[in-house]
Amino acid sequence: MSAEPILVTRSSMPPMDEYVAEIASLWESHWLTNMGLKHQQLERELESYLGVEDIALFTNGHNALECVLEALALGADGRREVITTPYTFASTIHAIVRKGLTPVFADIKPSDYTIDPVSIERLITPNTCAILPVHVYGNLCDVDAIEKIAREHNLKVVYDAAHAFGVTLNGRGVATFGDASMFSFHATKVFNTIEGGAVSFKDPDLKLKLNRWKNFGIADEEHVEFVGGNAKMNEFCAAMGICNLRHLGEEIAKRRVVAERYWDRLEELPGVKVCRPQDGVTPNYAYLPAVFEPSEFGATRDEVFEALAAHDVHARKYFYPIAPDFDCYRAQHGDAYVPVARHTGNCVLTLPMYADLALADVDRICDIVAGCAKA
Ligand code: T4K
């Protein structure tokens, strides 16, 4: 049992010797970034892991998302609205807005907190150009319904799959859905490259565009094709990814044991809802959300949060406030009609979740939570 504070997550790291061996060649090559050998190797290994022909690596998931929205030329035909979820990390919405597009907020489903296709359909207008759903907590969106809507209305679909690395639906990899999917390899993710991200995509022509966008739009030494940015993953991050990928199976297996202990314990408590894996989905156990219904449970989410903090257990309110209620969006979007998202945001707590979290600590956390329940 830990005497240290328990944080919401803890980065997975490979054995230090393994990482040192992986980066040793960089002292010979002096090639540290700009799509070097480690970058190339990690791309190939991830393509094979994700079951796709091609991916493009980035400095982080956010830059990857901005880049793919631009590479797909969203907004170029005058349609500038992107239907998305209010129940996500700031990055998703910021990427839309920073690319000059307008987020339109659909509600989420109470079962898995992903965007509700019925709500999407209601919001489609002649100005809609795309749907940007999020596989939140690694729960898969209703990909079939979303694909059908997109086809009927000539919309692009870009998934924010930041939480869903390695998840499959009936054996089909998450990276194969939609026109493109973005993954985050941030230090807090199931698979990390310290900072990093990637995009998978349907149209093979996107690879060249994405590679140029992340390198200032440079085509070759004498041609700069468009106004790109700089979002290239460096060799040290790629090396971390190569090492972490070797241990990913073990990482996910350990997370599964932790998740199942939480689920078994928390499901015994009236008024606490947890997310078991969806039908047909092989999960990655990225997050451990628990929703506390105060009238049934007898305590609010904030009371549970405080009780845990008093024991040096630091859960997080992912995702509260919901995006339309952010200071920067409230004036324009605060009236978004998203009752399920707002209620979930008010009642959710993501509990500590990482591969090496001891079961004794999970039990201690569940005991503290149970202690908050009404007698
Ligand atoms: N879309 C979605 C749906 C996302 O959730 C995210 C990122 C993105 C897009 C954008 O992807 P990136 O551009 O980040 O690749 C954290 C992460 O920074 C962020 O990546 C993540 N989502 C978000 C859900 O969580 P914070 O502000 O909560 O991080 P922080 O610094 O409070 O860290 C949380 C806990 O993680 C700490 O209490 C301890 C642990 N930790 C943290 C760091 C930095 C570690 O164990 N090691 C570390 O190095 O945002």
Side-chain angles (χ1 to χ4, degrees), residues 83-103:
I83 299 178
T84 190
T85 171
Y87 194 72
T88 185
F89 191 58
S91 165
T92 317
I93 313 307
H94 289 356
I96 295 170
V97 174
R98 286 168 57 84
K99 288 294 121 188
L101 301 164
T102 305

Side-chain angles (χ1 to χ4, degrees), residues 77-81 123-130 153-155:
D77 62 3
R79 295 180 299 163
R80 307 200 77 81
E81 290 177 3
L123 295 168
I124 292 171
T125 74
N127 291 324
T128 310
C129 61
H153 297 273
N154 182 29
L155 308 174

Side-chain angles (χ1 to χ4, degrees), residues 261-284:
R261 182 66 147 252
Y262 266 123
W263 293 333
D264 289 346
R265 290 283 322 264
L266 294 174
E267 275 175 347
E268 289 173 359
L269 303 172
V272 181
K273 198 176 108 200
V274 294
C275 267
R276 290 270 182 183
Q278 301 153 294
D279 287 347
V281 169
T282 306
N284 65 1

Side-chain angles (χ1 to χ4, degrees), residues 4-73:
E4 303 283 307
I6 298 182
L7 305 180
V8 69
T9 196
R10 195 170 72 164
S11 296
S12 299
M13 299 175 79
M16 195 163 77
D17 307 355
E18 192 179 323
Y19 183 64
V20 170
E22 195 62 51
I23 58 174
S25 62
L26 303 179
W27 267 260
E28 286 148 33
S29 68
H30 291 246
W31 191 276
L32 307 184
T33 185
N34 287 14
M35 296 175 256
L37 291 178
K38 299 288 174 199
H39 183 289
Q40 292 166 36
Q41 182 183 339
L42 182 61
E43 273 193 349
R44 282 196 306 274
E45 291 185 6
L46 289 174
E47 284 155 8
S48 151
Y49 184 85
L50 291 167
V52 291
E53 292 278 304
D54 249 337
I55 62 155
L57 290 176
F58 286 87
T59 40
N60 54 56
H62 181 82
N63 279 336
L65 188 54
E66 283 202 14
C67 176
V68 72
L69 296 182
E70 186 156 320
L72 286 168

